[in-house]
Amino acid sequence: MYIGRIVAFGMTKDGRPCAMYRVSSRSFPNRRAVENNGNIAIIPREGAEGDLAKNPYISYNCLRIAGEWAIATNGSQTDPITEKIAAGMPVRDAITMCLLAMDYEKDSLDTPRVVAVAGRKSKLGYLGIVRKDAVLVREFAMEPGVARYISTYECNAPCDTNVDTNFDAACENCAVKYVVDSGVFAGFENPVTSAAALATEDGFALSTFIC
């Protein structure tokens, strides 16, 4: 099943929070996730830079850290959400305000903006989406071995059915691959690249993967 871009948060079986992002794409598969100064960005692969002229929404910071929070999204909303959380705004309010302000992407598919936030200390996770017909944001208590996700298509609401109940990752490199080829995520089509932030004792460890 094709569900588009995916954001997720989860907790490993030994209690470490994690945020993940996966690009799944049929139209623009020539992209990669790259780490840069503590952030992860989605950019065109070498030789595909011309895709930016076709769709300006395909390159953006997809994962950033703000204190105890890891923020993963499918677009340029990553930056204002991160900055508002860093300034002290409650996570739910930061997500809601930025999604309302930026709205869904005005491309040919009216692509929704999606957000997942994982709290290292609070053990709380958030999922949010702005679609053409709705803005939805929800807080969840994290559970060991459980990952929750939301996507741009099909699984496009923060609900109790979009769940993987066997999530685990020994390291950040395992987490970034998990969202591509393990658990429920293995059944979702057209993976391109992914990013992950896994909690450590003093912050988050980042990783990227190219399919």
Side-chain angles (χ1 to χ4, degrees):
M1 181 168 66
Y2 180 70
I3 65 172
R5 269 63 68 205
I6 304 166
V7 292
F9 71 80
M11 179 181 281
T12 62
K13 293 181 179 179
D14 61 358
R16 291 174 295 155
C18 180
M20 296 168 284
Y21 175 56
R22 169 178 147 177
V23 176
S24 305
S25 181
R26 293 179 292 203
S27 302
F28 294 96
N30 295 315
R31 287 183 279 172
R32 59 192 174 111
V34 295
E35 186 176 349
N36 182 32
N37 295 323
N39 305 319
I40 297 178
I42 302 299
I43 64 172
R45 297 185 189 181
E46 186 174 353
E49 294 84 357
D51 285 349
L52 286 170
K54 302 174 185 176
N55 188 328
Y57 295 108
I58 65 171
S59 183
Y60 45 86
N61 284 329
C62 71
L63 200 155
R64 291 185 62 185
I65 308 299
E68 73 146 311
W69 303 100
I71 300 97
T73 94
N74 71 321
S76 55
Q77 67 268 26
T78 307
D79 296 329
I81 292 172
T82 301
E83 289 157 11
K84 289 188 180 301
I85 292 173
M89 181 176 285
V91 174
R92 185 202 63 174
D93 297 353
I95 296 170
T96 304
M97 178 178 290
C98 293
L99 290 181
L100 277 169
M102 299 185 74
D103 211 354
Y104 60 92
E105 296 179 355
K106 302 305 190 291
D107 59 8
S108 61
L109 298 173
D110 295 331
T111 301
R113 295 182 187 267
V114 291
V115 182
V117 178
R120 183 173 64 88
K121 298 177 182 178
S122 68
K123 313 300 184 187
L124 293 174
Y126 296 81
L127 294 175
I129 185 170
V130 57
R131 311 187 312 237
K132 192 172 184 179
D133 63 345
V135 179
L136 306 168
V137 180
R138 185 174 172 186
E139 177 187 285
F140 299 85
M142 290 190 183
E143 307 168 66
V146 175
R148 297 180 180 273
Y149 63 94
I150 192 169
S151 65
T152 52
Y153 312 118
E154 303 295 338
C155 303
N156 62 352
C159 60
D160 291 323
T161 57
N162 300 336
V163 178
D164 184 302
T165 57
N166 197 37
F167 173 68
D168 204 13
C171 64
E172 64 273 19
N173 297 326
C174 300
V176 79
K177 289 195 67 179
Y178 192 98
V179 74
V180 170
D181 59 16
S182 298
V184 67
F185 303 105
F188 300 141
E189 299 172 354
N190 298 93
V192 172
T193 190
S194 60
L198 182 64
T200 65
E201 289 186 1
D202 56 0
F204 285 93
L206 305 183
S207 184
T208 63
F209 180 72
I210 300 173
C211 301

